[in-house]
Amino acid sequence: MHGKPSQLNFIRVDSVKHKILQFLMCLRPPLFVGRIWLDNVQCSGRERTLAQCKSNGFGVSDCKHSEDVGVVCNERRIPGFKFISSFTNSVESLNVQVEEVRIRAISSQRKRVPITEGYLEVKDGGKWRQICDEEWTEMNNRVICGMYGFPGEKGYNTKVYKLLAKRRKKNYWEFGVNCTGNEASLHGCKLGRKVELKGNATCEKGMPVVVSCVPGRAFAPSHAQGFSKAYRVEQPLVRLRGGANIGDGRVEVLKNGKWGTVCDDSWNLKAASVVCRELGFGSAKEALAGGRLGQGMGPVHMNEVECSGFEKSLTECYFNRDALGCSHEEDAAVRCNVPAMGFQNKLRLSGGRNPFEGRVEVLAEKNGSLVWGTVCSDSWGTMEATVVCRQLGLGFASNAFQETWYWPGDVRADDVVMSGVRCSGTEMTLAQCLHHGKHLHCPQGGGRFAAGVSCSESAPDLVLNAQVVEHTTYLEDRPMYILQCANEEHCLSSSAATATPSSSRRLMRFSSQIHNNGQSDFRPRAAHNSWVWHDCHRHYHSMEVFTHYDLLSLNGTKVAEGHKASFCLEDTQCEEGIEKRYECANFGQQGITVGCWDTYRHDIDCQWIDVTDIVPGDYIFQVVINPNYEVAESDYTNNIMKCRCRYDGHRLWTYNCHIGERLDDNSGDYWLQQY
């Protein structure tokens, strides 16, 4: 991935022990010119300066400036930090600097999840303090709600809080706060007027600040069903794709029924926050550029986006309709603030070699008390593993395991407390997936057969090039006597079993070009030594079913089908500057590198649908990649392609091919026609 130059100041240090924020590795800042002072730095974390850490010594280094590292500091201050102003008259030019910020709910609301209302408190000098509301504004409320993952703010019952404020001892912070409403957090706001601390007489005309926020639909509690079953966007014109966690993803917008991306020119936190709030999250933590969360396919719909920050939708922002030349290497993405739901406290991985793998253990109620237990591995697969990794904030699923005897978990948690789990992959927690509830059924039991997962911070993302399919489709009548190998591999319809060698089959042929737009290589799940040799075609199958090809009636009924085993996953071509890694020749390694694509030409075996038995009419042509979710990906919604198809008994036309579930969705037409 190619990032854009950063404005960070860089210090030359190699091998810093503490983990630097991951996105620095993706950026390519301008190289520093000058000496390299430190190399092989090893810190314990308790040092006051970098000079106190172990190293080769000042000026002793064998490194180049291409190895320069950098840091991004958290806006929160270390515990015990006390803000002391050196300005005697005015502090309004300074940003808010405190250890922590919290919304402290009153006793009647403390068990609610998420906490949406309460006194706003800041931690300064190791003590929690309230803020006087005499000069508090709606813009301040907006920022606080946004930083806690809420898209909006609302009113509250002032009588209750005034009554409680009179009864309690108050400890006011000595500064006011002045926000514009576009800050990502309170730390981005300026200090307001200094408050004169006069004991009980402080803030005589006001009371401690109270904040009340409106949660997005996915996080709003419902008396009937609890939390929303799965994350759904509230506004159909904008969506996020390719993110590991809820609230992260590449920004895509809908125009003329086609989803497209947003170019990162002028992309900033204001525009990112509009997207986040539109989708029911809070403000944006980061506005990401350079295709950091994977590259999209199809058109780039918006470029040079400029938002005030207060628009209800990204589609209301100004953008340059005439700007051309943006590639998907410049796709914009966001990371949004989301509410603290406590989901990570109800699930854990046990026994793994590292925090990203292990046996799945859930906290469940048993005989009136909460106990840790395992999950039955019957039908446990990639979708279930995806939800586990998301719930724990560990990124994408890498593998799903149905045996975990090699991971010694807590023996007290061996009992199965959850069975029959079926996930769609969009759920925020494992508890939101379908499961057996209190009536468990797990013939194999827990212990060594408990479910397990491994997670990864990156994942591949396969996308079919719909235009290539549309432009290469044609009919061929092929004699049965040269289709014996294809018949043995079940690439023909069932009627071929009784066909005579002199008969022929009518085949709908097409080419497919499958791109890996993710952040890691797509590799077959089966180990190299377990690939199956097929003597008829003289090749290995690394995945028994790589794609499904189906012809459907207009009501969705399957009328003809085909499938393609991935006998040869390789890098046919790559984008400029990317080297091919995978080649099938000589029993080579199979896979698709990030930024490369694998092309299956129309003239190879099984690259077809047998349409011998269908009658003339209108149909839907559908291709699904990785249909059994055998390999984990960052986004499965773009694994399906659909086309309109017309067959008159002699000729066949395909048109309107697109990626995704819906055909002829024109709900996005209107907004781009306003300008």
Side-chain angles (χ1 to χ4, degrees):
M1 292 178 292
H2 301 280
K4 295 210 171 171
S6 169
Q7 300 302 314
L8 304 175
N9 294 320
F10 281 81
I11 307 168
R12 178 66 200 100
V13 183
D14 289 291
S15 306
V16 178
K17 186 176 181 180
H18 291 287
K19 185 178 180 183
I20 305 300
L21 291 178
Q22 274 190 320
F23 77 86
L24 288 170
M25 300 176 69
C26 299
L27 297 176
R28 294 190 179 180
L31 295 180
F32 182 79
V33 177
R35 293 193 64 179
I36 295 172
W37 288 109
L38 290 172
D39 190 4
N40 291 327
V41 178
Q42 298 181 26
C43 303
S44 68
R46 294 186 292 272
E47 296 84 359
R48 288 185 174 275
T49 72
L50 205 58
Q52 294 177 349
C53 299
K54 292 180 181 179
S55 71
N56 289 354
F58 276 92
V60 182
S61 173
D62 60 355
C63 290
K64 305 181 294 292
H65 281 299
S66 60
E67 300 172 84
D68 288 351
V69 302
V71 299
V72 175
C73 299
N74 195 311
E75 292 174 327
R76 289 170 55 180
R77 297 310 195 254
I78 59 175
F81 171 85
K82 172 69 177 174
F83 175 71
I84 301 174
S85 172
S86 58
F87 293 79
T88 54
N89 297 323
S90 175
V91 294
E92 279 83 353
S93 62
L94 300 178
N95 279 33
V96 173
Q97 301 175 35
V98 292
E99 292 176 53
E100 290 182 65
V101 183
R102 73 179 181 187
I103 298 176
R104 181 169 63 83
I106 59 177
S107 56
S108 62
Q109 298 187 24
R110 283 178 188 167
K111 290 185 178 180
R112 290 190 179 183
V113 178
I115 292 175
T116 59
E117 183 177 296
Y119 290 108
L120 178 68
E121 297 186 337
V122 296
K123 197 173 187 181
D124 186 39
K127 295 181 180 179
W128 287 105
R129 305 172 191 275
Q130 298 83 41
I131 298 175
C132 178
D133 72 350
E134 288 180 358
E135 297 182 0
W136 190 258
T137 67
E138 288 300 312
M139 291 298 101
N140 295 355
N141 279 336
R142 174 181 166 86
V143 171
I144 298 299
C145 289
M147 72 180 284
Y148 278 99
F150 305 115
E153 62 283 344
K154 61 182 179 67
Y156 60 92
N157 189 339
T158 55
K159 292 181 180 179
V160 172
Y161 287 96
K162 281 182 178 179
L163 184 63
L164 289 172
K166 288 179 181 179
R167 295 176 180 175
R168 293 178 178 175
K169 183 181 178 181
K170 294 171 285 294
N171 183 17
Y172 282 105
W173 195 42
E174 57 186 309
F175 298 99
V177 174
N178 185 17
C179 303
T180 65
N182 274 324
E183 295 84 355
S185 72
L186 186 66
H187 298 93
C189 299
K190 300 296 183 184
L191 289 173
R193 181 179 58 84
K194 194 167 183 178
V195 176
E196 186 179 354
L197 301 180
K198 301 181 292 185
N200 291 335
T202 305
C203 195
E204 282 184 300
K205 297 180 181 179
M207 58 178 262
V209 166
V210 175
V211 175
S212 183
C213 306
V214 179
R217 184 172 60 180
F219 306 99
S222 162
H223 294 295
Q225 298 178 341
F227 291 97
S228 179
K229 193 92 171 130
Y231 164 65
R232 303 180 196 82
V233 294
E234 293 180 290
Q235 172 56 262
L237 298 180
V238 180
R239 69 182 185 186
L240 300 183
R241 287 292 182 266
N245 300 304
I246 292 294
D248 296 358
R250 177 179 62 253
V251 180
E252 297 185 354
V253 294
L254 189 65
K255 174 191 174 185
N256 297 334
K258 292 184 179 180
W259 288 100
T261 60
V262 176
C263 187
D264 63 9
D265 292 348
S266 305
W267 187 249
N268 58 24
L269 276 174
K270 286 184 180 179
S273 288
V274 170
V275 170
C276 291
R277 292 179 189 273
E278 178 179 4
L279 297 178
F281 305 116
S283 53
K285 292 187 287 188
E286 291 181 80
L288 302 171
R292 284 274 307 285
L293 295 186
Q295 297 180 21
M297 288 283 286
V300 178
H301 282 327
M302 300 178 77
N303 189 12
E304 297 180 8
V305 178
E306 294 180 17
C307 302
S308 69
F310 295 94
E311 293 86 353
K312 295 294 184 183
S313 170
L314 186 68
T315 60
E316 296 176 9
C317 298
Y318 167 82
F319 65 98
N320 189 344
R321 295 173 59 87
D322 301 319
L324 302 173
C326 243
S327 71
H328 286 296
E329 291 180 354
E330 301 171 87
D331 284 345
V334 297
R335 286 199 175 105
C336 306
N337 286 311
V338 297
M341 305 296 291
F343 292 150
Q344 296 181 3
N345 302 325
K346 300 174 183 178
L347 191 73
R348 70 186 184 189
L349 300 183
S350 179
R353 297 163 297 178
N354 58 63
F356 286 82
E357 67 177 24
R359 183 175 79 174
V360 178
E361 296 178 358
V362 297
L363 191 62
E365 187 175 337
K366 190 175 182 180
N367 299 326
S369 60
L370 292 174
V371 297
W372 287 99
T374 56
V375 179
C376 185
S377 64
D378 286 355
S379 71
W380 184 259
T382 302
M383 286 303 187
E384 290 71 37
T386 295
V387 174
V388 168
C389 294
R390 179 185 298 127
Q391 182 174 348
L392 292 173
L394 296 178
F396 303 102
S398 179
N399 283 293
F401 301 95
Q402 294 188 341
E403 289 188 28
T404 51
W405 53 267
Y406 37 80
W407 286 329
D410 187 344
V411 293
R412 294 171 296 180
D414 277 353
D415 290 345
V416 173
V417 295
M418 195 174 192
S419 66
V421 181
R422 300 283 192 284
C423 301
S424 68
T426 61
E427 296 87 355
M428 291 189 290
T429 72
L430 201 62
Q432 291 176 349
C433 300
L434 295 173
H435 58 93
H436 287 156
K438 295 180 180 179
H439 304 288
L440 302 176
H441 178 71
C442 188
Q444 292 188 112
R448 63 174 293 170
F449 293 108
V453 302
S454 63
C455 307
S456 173
E457 293 176 338
S458 61
D461 182 20
L462 298 187
V463 185
L464 186 68
N465 189 324
Q467 284 187 322
V468 169
V469 175
E470 185 170 338
H471 294 160
T472 59
T473 306
Y474 65 97
L475 287 179
E476 180 193 17
D477 290 333
R478 195 167 181 82
M480 189 67 196
Y481 65 84
I482 60 174
L483 290 172
Q484 292 308 308
C485 282
N487 198 27
E488 287 180 22
E489 294 189 9
H490 309 292
C491 295
L492 301 175
S493 62
S494 57
S495 64
T498 57
T500 62
S502 59
S503 64
S504 63
R505 309 299 296 180
R506 177 156 290 183
L507 307 176
M508 174 182 172
R509 284 187 172 275
F510 52 91
S511 296
S512 63
Q513 190 182 93
I514 299 169
H515 295 245
N516 182 0
N517 289 348
Q519 296 173 284
S520 65
D521 295 353
F522 184 94
R523 300 296 310 281
R525 183 178 178 183
H528 196 275
N529 59 2
S530 65
W531 295 351
V532 179
W533 173 259
H534 283 245
D535 197 52
C536 186
H537 278 131
R538 311 295 295 174
H539 58 236
Y540 283 94
H541 285 198
S542 59
M543 291 174 66
E544 200 54 42
V545 178
F546 180 55
T547 52
H548 277 168
Y549 305 142
D550 297 312
L551 203 62
L552 312 174
S553 66
L554 296 183
N555 65 11
T557 305
K558 190 182 298 185
V559 296
E561 63 181 328
H563 83 275
K564 186 68 181 171
S566 72
F567 64 81
C568 181
L569 277 177
E570 66 177 6
D571 297 325
T572 307
Q573 284 181 278
C574 299
E575 293 173 3
E576 186 178 351
I578 298 177
E579 266 186 51
K580 296 180 182 179
R581 294 183 184 177
Y582 305 107
E583 189 175 8
C584 298
N586 302 317
F587 195 34
Q589 292 290 337
Q590 294 190 24
I592 307 176
T593 304
V594 175
C596 299
W597 55 91
D598 187 6
T599 301
Y600 289 92
R601 286 174 51 86
H602 56 83
D603 54 1
I604 65 174
D605 260 4
C606 298
Q607 189 61 32
W608 63 56
I609 295 178
D610 184 352
V611 296
T612 306
D613 303 322
I614 72 164
V615 298
D618 290 318
Y619 297 95
I620 296 170
F621 172 33
Q622 176 177 281
V623 178
V624 183
I625 310 167
N626 192 16
N628 300 330
Y629 312 117
E630 190 174 327
V631 178
E633 297 185 49
S634 60
D635 184 5
Y636 290 106
T637 62
N638 56 16
N639 282 30
I640 186 170
M641 184 215 71
K642 290 185 178 181
C643 304
R644 293 288 193 189
C645 182
R646 176 165 292 175
Y647 175 54
D648 68 358
H650 305 284
R651 294 167 297 176
L652 184 140
W653 298 267
T654 55
Y655 58 98
N656 193 21
C657 293
H658 73 287
I659 300 298
E661 289 289 348
R662 289 178 289 181
L663 281 167
D664 295 328
D665 186 346
N666 295 314
S667 59
D669 286 1
Y670 72 92
W671 67 267
L672 284 175
Q673 296 171 358
Q674 297 177 55
Y675 301 96

